[in-house]
């Protein structure tokens, strides 16, 4: 007969409540009304996705994981990085979930939490954005070479036909072009960044 | 002349020059008065949205604010690039749908003395305007050199037909507008099953192998249907299929030669304009042979030094490029 003292206390409850805020956070940080809570797990998204084969999780699964509060696993998934924003899933989703925009949100959250396994994609986005913030325009030649040199140095011989071809046909500009009122753009982006930081403070 | 506010986007001046040249040539003939938005900035493509929310939408919305300020006679913004079009449309739509976003964006814009009221402009893609405002009848009436005998694969890619917030297209997955336009030019249009499939987008820069397979599917399908040429409305699609075709062939051991040009270039040809002035010859996979088929002489490919295709055959040190990619793509764990 077991004594009262033998009875193990219940395992400490997982931090469910805290983790369940994850869904809310993703919804909050997605532009427009994401309708992510409305997902019925039908799987239409994954079935429509041209890059599903390369994804760690199908969009459907990822959305279930978001609801389950699996923050770490979700932000480490390569799925948002593999998403090519083709919007096939978006027009087919019976619940009108803004799937592609949720993917953008997850990318930004993964960057913030530094939870990505391969920095190629985040670096590409950052390089692009740095360029845009500096010039107000994108600067393709510089972007492609900077990016390739960093990530695919061994590929450059294979890549050079394309770059040389583009260059000789003058399709990539060699000098970046700056917009006139770059000061205005910088001020706008600065204020926008401050607003985002302010909005995220209570969560952090 | 119908007046529009025009948002060219960065690629019209760089990688998609042929699109810009040909549009400039056909616009007056179509009665399109395109007034460029003064001092517009990059829309952020598909990159900024994945970094941060408010800055990405503020970046896009500076253009909307400038356009609304400049609006005079027209409140319709036309964009020729798919990504630009979608970003502008999306910002307008989401700020309408979610007032909090509009509020934040406007607070950011105010730092630059600007503001934008969601819904005050209409955002449309160039093809939409040409088909639905100008109309096929007008286009047909201007054709002086029908493209009879040219088999074309109409390729729209993703972001124009989808998500289509305002339901402008006949179908998000199999729209027929581009087919109708090309038929009006006299071309033989194949029923291209992959017409709205993805070109790989920015994946050519990030995970080339994912992108290469997407590109291969498109080219293979167009070739299977014996298309002479693919026709697109998106600078990114054109770039991926044209500039990376050599890489794709190299990667899969194929020998495809499938030129891809902008629909505005074909409109110009059918209107009897000079191929060179329409930007033919700027494509890396030459459209010369396709045009020869219908008796149009295209400019010689630019004497590229060194010639791209020869470059591939040179005994350059190529330390197993495929394996190298695999390594850096899959196996690598970032510090
Ligand atoms: S298609 Fe929509 S409802 Fe169905 S699983 Fe995907 S996100 Fe959920
Ligand atoms: S938008 Fe992204 S998740 Fe949806 S089908 Fe396309 S690649 Fe897949």
């Amino acid at each position: 007969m077991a004594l009262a003292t033998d009875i193990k206390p219940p395992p400490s409850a997982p931090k469910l409540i805290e983790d369940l805020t994850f869904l809310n956070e993703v919804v909050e940080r997605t532009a427009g009304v994401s309708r992510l809570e409305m997902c019925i797990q039908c799987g239409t998204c994954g079935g429509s996705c041209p890059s599903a084969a390369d994804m760690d999780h199908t969009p459907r699964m990822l959305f279930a994981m978001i609801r389950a509060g699996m923050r770490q696993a979700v932000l480490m998934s390569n799925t948002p990085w593999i998403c090519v924003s083709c919007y096939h899933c978006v027009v087919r989703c019976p619940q009108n979930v803004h799937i592609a925009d949720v993917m953008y949100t997850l990318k930004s959250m993964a960057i913030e939490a530094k939870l990505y396994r391969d920095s190629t994609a985040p670096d590409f986005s950052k390089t692009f954005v740095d360029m845009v913030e500096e010039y107000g325009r994108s600067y393709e030649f510089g972007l492609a070479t900077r990016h390739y040199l960093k990530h695919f140095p061994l590929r450059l011989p294979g890549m050079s036909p394309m770059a040389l071809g583009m260059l000789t046909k003058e399709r990539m500009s060699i000098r970046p072009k700056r917009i006139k009122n770059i000061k205005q753009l910088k001020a706008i982006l600065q204020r926008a960044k401050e607003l985002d930081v302010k909005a995220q403070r209570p969560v952090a | 002349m119908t007046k529009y506010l025009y948002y060219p986007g960065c690629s019209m001046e760089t990688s998609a020059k042929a699109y810009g040249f040909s549009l400039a040539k056909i616009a007056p003939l179509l009665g399109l008065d395109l007034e460029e938005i003064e001092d517009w900035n990059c829309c952020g493509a598909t990159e900024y949205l994945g970094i941060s929310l408010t800055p990405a939408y503020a970046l896009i919305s500076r253009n909307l604010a400038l356009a609304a300020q400049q609006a005079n006679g027209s409140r319709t913004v036309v964009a020729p690039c798919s990504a630009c079009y979608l970003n502008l449309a999306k910002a307008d739509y989401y700020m309408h749908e979610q007032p909090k976003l509009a509020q934040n964006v406007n607070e950011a814009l105010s730092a630059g003395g600007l503001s934008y009221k969601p819904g005050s402009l209409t955002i449309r893609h160039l093809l939409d305007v040409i088909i639905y405002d100008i109309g096929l009848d007008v286009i047909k009436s201007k054709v002086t050199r029908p493209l009879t005998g040219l088999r074309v694969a109409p390729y729209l890619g993703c972001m124009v037909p989808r998500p289509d917030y305002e339901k402008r297209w006949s179908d998000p997955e199999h729209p027929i507008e581009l087919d109708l336009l090309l038929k009006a030019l006299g071309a033989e249009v194949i029923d291209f099953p992959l017409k709205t499939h993805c070109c790989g987008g920015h994946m050519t820069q990030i995970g080339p192998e994912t992108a290469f397979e997407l590109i291969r599917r498109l080219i293979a399908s167009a070739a299977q249907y014996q298309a002479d040429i693919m026709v697109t409305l998106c600078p990114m699609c054109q770039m991926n299929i044209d500039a990376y075709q050599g890489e794709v062939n190299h990667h899969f051991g194929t020998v495809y030669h499938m030129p891809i040009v902008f629909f505005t270039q074909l409109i110009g040809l059918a209107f009897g304009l000079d191929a060179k002035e329409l930007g033919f010859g700027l494509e890396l996979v030459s459209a010369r042979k396709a045009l020869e088929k219908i008796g149009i002489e295209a400019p010689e490919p630019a004497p590229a030094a060194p010639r791209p295709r020869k470059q591939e055959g040179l005994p350059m040190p190529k330390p197993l490029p495929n394996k190298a990619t695999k390594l850096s793509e899959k196996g690598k764990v970032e510090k």
Side-chain angles (χ1 to χ4, degrees):
Chain A
M1 210 174 85
L3 293 171
T5 47
D6 289 343
I7 300 171
K8 279 192 202 141
S12 62
K15 287 194 281 174
L16 272 182
I17 304 304
E18 191 178 318
D19 288 343
L20 288 182
T21 59
F22 186 45
L23 171 63
N24 228 332
E25 200 183 319
V26 175
V27 167
E28 276 295 304
R29 294 185 56 166
T30 303
V33 179
S34 75
R35 297 177 55 87
L36 182 57
E37 316 89 320
M38 303 297 287
C39 170
I40 53 168
Q41 292 288 297
C42 68
T44 304
C45 43
S48 313
C49 181
S51 21
D54 294 331
M55 290 175 170
D56 292 340
H57 311 95
T58 61
R60 177 197 63 76
M61 193 168 176
L62 198 68
F63 297 164
M65 290 161 67
I66 294 176
R67 276 196 218 173
M70 299 164 70
R71 179 186 297 262
Q72 182 101 359
V74 168
L75 295 184
M76 285 195 59
S77 174
N78 76 352
T79 300
W81 301 103
I82 298 283
C83 169
V84 287
S85 307
C86 74
Y87 296 87
H88 267 295
C89 57
V90 176
V91 294
R92 291 183 185 179
C93 171
Q95 294 293 82
N96 283 317
V97 176
H98 294 175
I99 301 168
D101 292 293
V102 171
M103 296 297 178
Y104 285 126
T105 304
L106 294 175
K107 287 197 233 187
S108 67
M109 291 175 78
I111 291 178
E112 225 173 80
K114 300 209 165 48
L115 283 177
Y116 42 81
R117 281 168 303 169
D118 182 337
S119 74
T120 316
D123 277 358
F124 177 71
S125 295
K126 278 192 207 143
T127 315
F128 189 95
V129 165
D130 285 351
M131 204 78 79
V132 172
E133 289 182 349
E134 195 47 41
Y135 298 103
R137 292 279 171 88
S138 55
Y139 164 37
E140 289 160 278
F141 180 68
L143 178 61
T145 27
R146 265 173 62 177
H147 182 71
Y148 265 104
L149 279 171
K150 179 149 183 222
H151 287 285
F152 303 108
L154 296 179
R155 284 186 62 88
L156 264 181
M159 229 41 227
S160 57
M162 176 259 166
L164 282 177
M166 295 293 279
L167 190 59
T168 47
K169 302 220 171 190
E170 291 173 41
R171 278 173 51 181
M172 285 181 167
S173 47
I174 305 170
R175 266 174 304 133
K177 196 169 163 177
R178 203 186 292 264
I179 62 168
K180 278 187 232 145
N181 206 343
I182 186 73
K183 251 179 78 189
Q184 179 190 51
L185 179 63
K186 283 187 175 173
I188 291 172
L189 295 177
Q190 186 53 40
R191 178 77 60 86
K193 284 178 193 167
E194 288 160 14
L195 285 169
D196 268 8
V197 170
K198 214 163 89 191
Q200 280 141 38
R201 201 172 295 142
V203 179
Chain B
M1 293 290 263
T2 324
K3 194 166 160 181
Y4 299 93
L5 292 155
Y6 178 54
Y7 178 85
C10 301
S11 51
M12 289 304 262
E13 291 167 4
T14 51
S15 62
K17 268 185 187 162
Y19 201 2
F21 289 161
S22 52
L23 177 58
K25 286 279 166 204
I26 64 166
L29 298 176
L30 290 172
L32 278 174
D33 179 4
L34 302 172
E35 186 186 310
E36 187 165 330
I37 298 166
E38 182 62 30
D39 205 37
W40 56 272
N41 57 261
C42 174
C43 74
T46 48
E47 307 313 313
Y48 216 150
L49 295 172
I51 299 254
S52 53
L53 179 69
T54 313
Y57 280 88
L59 179 83
I60 303 170
S61 301
R62 176 175 175 271
N63 297 306
L64 296 174
L66 292 175
Q69 219 170 45
Q70 192 177 326
N72 164 28
S74 172
R75 303 200 68 84
T76 300
V77 175
V78 176
C81 166
S82 306
C84 299
Y85 155 72
L86 180 57
N87 276 343
L88 295 169
K90 184 183 257 192
D92 190 46
Y93 183 82
Y94 282 168
M95 286 195 282
H96 211 53
E97 183 179 86
Q98 195 191 40
K100 196 186 81 199
L101 180 66
Q103 196 188 324
N104 282 343
V105 165
N106 269 298
E107 191 171 339
L109 287 176
S110 72
L114 295 174
S115 69
Y116 178 69
K117 187 169 172 285
S120 57
L121 293 170
T122 307
I123 319 294
R124 296 174 66 186
H125 185 266
L126 179 66
L127 178 68
D128 169 18
V129 162
I130 290 184
I131 296 265
Y132 288 111
D133 288 6
I134 308 297
L136 291 175
D137 289 340
V138 171
I139 293 165
K140 261 184 217 154
S141 73
K142 312 252 174 206
V143 173
T144 57
R145 180 168 57 189
L147 307 178
T148 318
L150 187 67
R151 268 178 83 83
V152 298
Y155 178 56
L156 297 102
C158 311
M159 296 183 188
V160 168
R162 290 185 301 274
D164 194 14
Y165 299 113
E166 301 193 342
K167 302 278 166 282
R168 293 186 172 278
W169 302 95
S170 50
D171 188 290
E173 306 198 46
H174 292 285
I176 53 165
E177 283 86 348
L178 184 56
D179 302 50
L180 295 179
L181 171 73
L182 296 169
K183 276 181 193 152
L185 302 178
E188 198 180 315
V189 183
I190 67 162
D191 188 7
F192 189 37
L194 304 187
K195 63 162 79 154
T196 68
H197 279 227
C198 179
C199 72
H202 71 181
M203 290 307 279
T204 40
Q205 310 281 315
I206 292 165
E209 291 184 3
T210 301
F212 289 169
E213 171 55 17
L214 296 174
I215 297 172
R216 187 201 62 79
R217 280 183 217 171
L218 296 170
I219 300 175
S221 173
Q224 216 167 35
Y225 278 77
Q226 296 174 343
D228 299 314
I229 196 165
M230 288 174 75
V231 180
T232 186
L233 42 71
C234 171
M236 175 73 103
C237 295
Q238 202 279 340
M239 165 96 136
N240 277 353
I241 293 167
D242 183 34
Y244 290 91
Q245 199 167 126
E247 277 286 299
V248 168
N249 276 333
H250 178 75
H251 185 79
F252 293 103
T254 49
V255 289
Y256 291 117
H257 180 93
M258 181 57 68
I260 176 164
V261 297
F262 296 101
F263 74 103
T264 44
Q265 292 179 277
L266 286 194
I267 294 180
L269 274 191
F271 287 2
L273 301 174
D274 178 56
K276 185 153 193 234
E277 291 187 350
L278 295 167
F280 281 98
L282 287 174
E283 71 281 354
L284 296 179
V285 178
S286 172
R288 217 173 132 76
K289 258 184 114 173
L291 298 196
E292 259 168 24
K293 197 181 154 199
I294 54 167
I296 298 176
E297 203 188 323
E300 281 284 357
R307 285 277 295 278
R309 219 151 289 121
K310 271 196 195 136
Q311 191 75 14
E312 254 181 12
L314 284 180
M316 302 255 305
K318 272 194 200 170
L320 303 173
N322 296 344
K323 271 201 186 126
T325 333
K326 268 197 193 104
L327 247 174
S328 61
E329 261 180 14
K330 307 232 164 75
K332 195 170 76 183
V333 175
E334 288 297 317
K335 310 135 244 159

